[in-house]
Amino acid sequence: MTYHSNEQCTMFSTLLLLNVIVSCQADLAAPVINVSLDEPPEVRWAQLLEVYDTDYLKKAAAEVIDTTVPKWVHHAVIPVVEALEKYVPPPYAGEIRGLASHVGGSITDIILLNFAYEISAFCTSIIAQDTSGHLYHGRNLDYPHDILRNLTIDILFVRNGTVAYRGTSFAGYVGLWTGQSPNKFTISGNQRGKDHWWDWWKNWVSAFLLKSSPVSWLVRETLEDAVDFQDAVMRLSKIPLITSVYYIVAGVKPGEGVVISRDRKGPADIWPLEPWNGGWFRVETNFDHWVMPPVKDLRRDAANEALNATGPDNINIYTLYKVLSLSPVCNRITVYTTTMSAGSPEKYNTEVRQEGCHSNV
Ligand SMILES: *[C@@H]1O[C@H](CO)[C@@H](O)[C@H](O)[C@H]1NC(C)=O
Ligand SMILES: *[C@@H]1O[C@H](CO)[C@@H](O)[C@H](O)[C@H]1NC(C)=O
Ligand SMILES: *[C@@H]1O[C@H](CO)[C@@H](O)[C@H](O)[C@H]1NC(C)=O
Ligand SMILES: *[C@@H]1O[C@H](CO)[C@@H](O)[C@H](O)[C@H]1NC(C)=O
């Protein structure tokens, strides 16, 4: 087993003193920004510009769109996006308008950007309960765009001076695939099934005319509104979505952990932790847990084996991070790893995998 040598990097850099460039591949904590929910949506994201410069964001957005959307489609959808813009619900409409003006880009491009990420996030999510009943939740987000490493941010959503919830996202993107409501629950989302760029317009119409939720918006709304784990699971199970997805949720009390396999209209399957029955952890990648993954995809087996070897006596936020660092659970396209535990909200941590992991995998 090769564990990612994160600690070694830190040790090296300390030994070699301050102004020596560390030559090993160092993973970095994601930058943190505040978004105040007390401010109007149009100006909430202004702190982004303290971390990124406008030109960089503009270039990055263009690169993501160019590599995700064929050029002719980009041109073809601009009028559609323009026509639908008025259907984007609050607060996202205002936030997207604000982002477009902060970044100096067009609103249609920021909307496209928000939907570009919506369709292809490969991931591994793990929930686990230790022998004292504490819950841990970790996720790798895999996505084949190097630039996303530079755009990964942790966001504190602040209301009246306290952190209402937090999450991990990409600069310019208003939804969340990963987040925590402190002392209540944590959520991650993994892609389920294959959607294609030619389904976009359907997703659009479905989102704004039929009022289905983009999956990352429902994560954010659940973090904002749900009062506890049960409430979160209900919302994530039944609110109509524009596409299928896996939602992985952990709470704060023993047994509060579940993998929800979602169809657009409702739950296809609910797979809870059953710690009293050997089910002290659950691993979800991008395949239904009741079917075998493709033979080439070894992420699920590797994670299951490593968790088995770790055991419920030894699982904690650090050993969970180690499992998420193993090859091929962490791989060439892994962008970031988040580890969290709603009962200890201060431990929330996102590590950007600067060059991916195990570059030969
Ligand atoms: C990410 O940022 C680093 C340092 O700022 C830069 O060297 C690198 O080229 C950037 N990567 C991409 C894909 O833009
Ligand atoms: C905001 O926080 C202050 C101080 O903690 C408290 O007195 C006030 O009631 C809070 N306001 C709202 C709207 O929650
Ligand atoms: C973010 O909000 C938290 C909670 O109100 C506060 O403690 C922190 O100083 C804020 N950070 C920035 C950079 O504004
Ligand atoms: C994990 O351990 C259980 C019980 O010991 C065993 O049934 C299962 O096959 C193991 N799974 C893996 C992937 O090693």
Side-chain angles (χ1 to χ4, degrees):
M1 283 192 206
T2 38
Y3 287 116
H4 202 70
S5 57
N6 207 35
E7 315 86 271
Q8 278 166 19
C9 291
T10 321
M11 202 170 1
F12 262 137
S13 56
T14 318
L15 288 175
L16 295 180
L17 297 178
L18 294 173
N19 54 356
V20 178
I21 292 169
V22 185
S23 62
C24 64
Q25 163 191 330
D27 292 330
L28 301 173
V32 182
I33 67 160
N34 280 12
V35 164
S36 166
L37 299 170
D38 300 323
E39 302 214 12
E42 285 76 6
V43 299
R44 281 182 189 166
W45 289 89
Q47 262 197 23
L48 256 192
L49 302 183
E50 292 170 19
V51 179
Y52 295 97
D53 86 41
T54 310
D55 285 343
Y56 186 78
L57 282 181
K58 224 186 299 188
K59 257 182 37 210
E63 188 182 318
V64 173
I65 292 172
D66 286 350
T67 50
T68 318
V69 193
K71 263 215 162 49
W72 69 268
V73 179
H74 188 180
H75 290 302
V77 297
I78 286 173
V80 182
V81 176
E82 266 167 8
L84 286 172
E85 191 220 316
K86 59 176 174 296
Y87 296 102
V88 178
Y92 308 109
E95 292 187 12
I96 285 170
R97 264 199 306 278
L99 280 164
S101 80
H102 297 325
V103 176
S106 76
I107 293 180
T108 53
D109 276 3
I110 301 286
I111 292 176
L112 273 179
L113 186 67
N114 274 270
F115 278 75
Y117 295 135
E118 197 69 16
I119 56 168
S120 58
F122 287 97
C123 312
T124 302
S125 288
I126 299 173
I127 46 176
Q129 181 176 317
D130 71 13
T131 28
S132 346
H134 300 121
L135 288 139
Y136 306 97
H137 186 166
R139 74 108 84 255
N140 283 346
L141 189 132
D142 301 352
Y143 201 99
H145 283 312
D146 287 341
I147 200 154
L148 293 185
R149 301 203 166 92
N150 289 14
L151 298 179
T152 300
I153 43 170
D154 272 352
I155 305 142
L156 305 179
F157 292 88
V158 177
R159 188 185 284 123
N160 197 23
T162 58
V163 178
Y165 59 99
R166 65 182 297 170
T168 303
S169 194
F170 303 119
Y173 189 60
V174 299
L176 297 174
W177 281 91
T178 310
Q180 167 178 276
S181 176
N183 300 307
K184 291 181 184 157
F185 55 87
T186 50
I187 309 175
S188 60
N190 289 13
Q191 184 192 341
R192 178 175 188 237
K194 283 200 174 64
D195 262 337
H196 299 288
W197 52 262
W198 53 83
D199 288 327
W200 275 24
W201 69 273
K202 284 195 252 169
N203 290 349
W204 262 87
V205 170
S206 149
F208 300 127
L209 303 183
L210 304 177
K211 307 228 184 294
S212 301
S213 197
V215 299
S216 64
W217 295 7
L218 183 55
V219 170
R220 190 171 152 191
E221 280 152 25
T222 303
L223 290 165
E224 191 157 330
D225 298 332
V227 297
D228 58 17
F229 171 81
Q230 298 300 341
D231 187 18
V233 171
M234 288 304 283
R235 290 165 189 261
L236 294 169
S237 298
K238 69 177 193 195
I239 294 178
L241 292 171
I242 66 172
T243 183
S244 51
V245 72
Y246 301 103
Y247 283 133
I248 300 88
V249 197
V252 289
K253 295 195 207 109
E256 287 188 341
V258 70
V259 175
I260 304 164
S261 302
R262 274 296 311 259
D263 290 332
R264 286 182 165 80
K265 293 201 170 121
D269 181 76
I270 305 274
W271 189 35
L273 287 174
E274 290 168 354
W276 52 88
N277 207 5
W280 63 275
F281 68 84
R282 298 291 184 222
V283 174
E284 179 55 59
T285 56
N286 301 100
F287 306 96
D288 293 340
H289 69 87
W290 58 95
V291 302
M292 296 293 284
V295 282
K296 276 195 316 204
D297 191 329
L298 301 172
R299 292 172 302 159
R300 186 202 283 176
D301 283 350
N304 277 332
E305 254 171 57
L307 286 160
N308 252 7
T310 306
D313 288 336
N314 292 317
I315 195 71
N316 55 46
I317 213 154
Y318 180 66
T319 52
L320 179 57
Y321 173 78
K322 281 191 159 180
V323 172
L324 286 164
S325 303
L326 286 172
S327 166
V329 182
C330 193
N331 54 67
R332 188 164 40 79
I333 62 165
T334 302
V335 174
Y336 70 78
T337 301
T338 300
T339 43
M340 51 196 173
S341 179
S344 305
E346 73 291 348
K347 294 202 174 130
Y348 190 101
N349 185 57
T350 298
E351 200 91 1
V352 178
R353 303 292 192 170
Q354 277 307 333
E355 297 169 28
C357 295
H358 318 284
S359 50
N360 53 341
V361 178

